[in-house]
Amino acid sequence: MEEAGRGCGLLKVVVTHGRNLAVRDFTSSDPYVIVHVADKTTKTKVINSCLNPVWNEEMTFSMKEPVGIIKFEVFDWDRFKYDDKMGQAFLDLQPVAAATKLRRALRLTAGETNLRKVNPDADNCLLSDSFVTYANGEVAIDARLRLREVESGELFVTIKWIEPDSANTGKQADH
């Protein structure tokens, strides 16, 4: 863990739940998610025997700007052999960065505002349109992601960006 540095904002990644995940054991799976942001990696807890797991886990990363791509890898935990791949998804942070600049230009400080619509395309794994919003000092996007390289599965995540000027520098950043 590292304390948020001066001039750094906080990127919060909330892995809420999965739906219709692939079977990797006999009749179920024991899924967990590895989250990659820039050069940092962290993971959720394992949910035993579940194809529709609920994690509701928040990971916080300290960074100067919300740039790059967040990669999500889903695995089935196995006790006696290598963990099985259950798919992967990614989400480009560019819409969050653009919405952050728009928030600054509009000088938003209160209320709730839709800043940008994000459509499913080759630069993301979105299953449906999503909106980047501003509320409670955070620029956020709720995303429903299609898992790739697997027969089925969806991942639901929320990405939140807290600007350096509104981030509490006393908070800890998990890696």
Side-chain angles (χ1 to χ4, degrees):
M1 296 222 276
E2 173 183 301
E3 199 166 304
R6 175 173 286 163
C8 288
L10 298 176
L11 183 73
K12 294 183 178 185
V13 179
V14 183
V15 179
T16 58
H17 65 284
R19 183 187 302 165
N20 197 29
L21 298 183
V23 173
R24 288 294 181 258
D25 295 332
F26 294 109
T27 59
S28 191
S29 293
D30 305 310
Y32 66 92
V33 180
I34 297 176
V35 179
H36 304 273
V37 176
D39 60 345
K40 302 167 183 108
T41 301
T42 189
K43 67 180 184 174
T44 66
K45 65 183 177 268
V46 173
I47 305 292
N48 292 317
S49 301
C50 190
L51 300 178
N52 298 295
V54 176
W55 290 283
N56 284 328
E57 291 189 39
E58 181 176 283
M59 298 103 177
T60 303
F61 302 89
S62 174
M63 55 194 328
K64 291 194 183 296
E65 292 185 86
V67 295
I69 293 175
I70 301 176
K71 182 177 179 184
F72 302 91
E73 294 182 289
V74 183
F75 287 90
D76 169 51
W77 179 82
D78 286 312
R79 181 183 306 268
F80 299 111
K81 57 183 178 158
Y82 293 109
D83 293 353
D84 301 312
K85 290 182 180 182
M86 295 178 68
Q88 64 178 341
F90 61 90
L91 188 63
D92 192 338
L93 288 172
Q94 188 280 330
V96 175
T100 298
K101 290 176 184 171
L102 179 59
R103 184 207 63 85
R104 283 187 214 131
L106 296 174
R107 300 176 191 253
L108 298 175
T109 58
E112 185 171 333
T113 306
N114 281 345
L115 295 171
R116 182 168 183 189
K117 182 178 178 180
V118 184
N119 299 312
D121 64 21
D123 292 329
N124 61 51
C125 292
L126 290 173
L127 276 165
S128 58
D129 292 344
S130 295
F131 288 91
V132 181
T133 60
Y134 175 76
N136 303 318
E138 299 175 336
V139 173
I141 183 170
D142 289 319
R144 179 177 162 214
L145 304 174
R146 178 186 70 252
L147 293 177
R148 295 182 175 197
E149 301 174 9
V150 68
E151 58 273 19
S152 67
E154 300 174 12
L155 192 61
F156 294 76
V157 300
T158 298
I159 309 302
K160 301 176 184 177
W161 172 251
I162 303 170
E163 290 271 74
D165 56 355
S166 62
N168 178 353
T169 56
K171 289 184 179 179
Q172 297 289 315
D174 297 330
H175 301 272

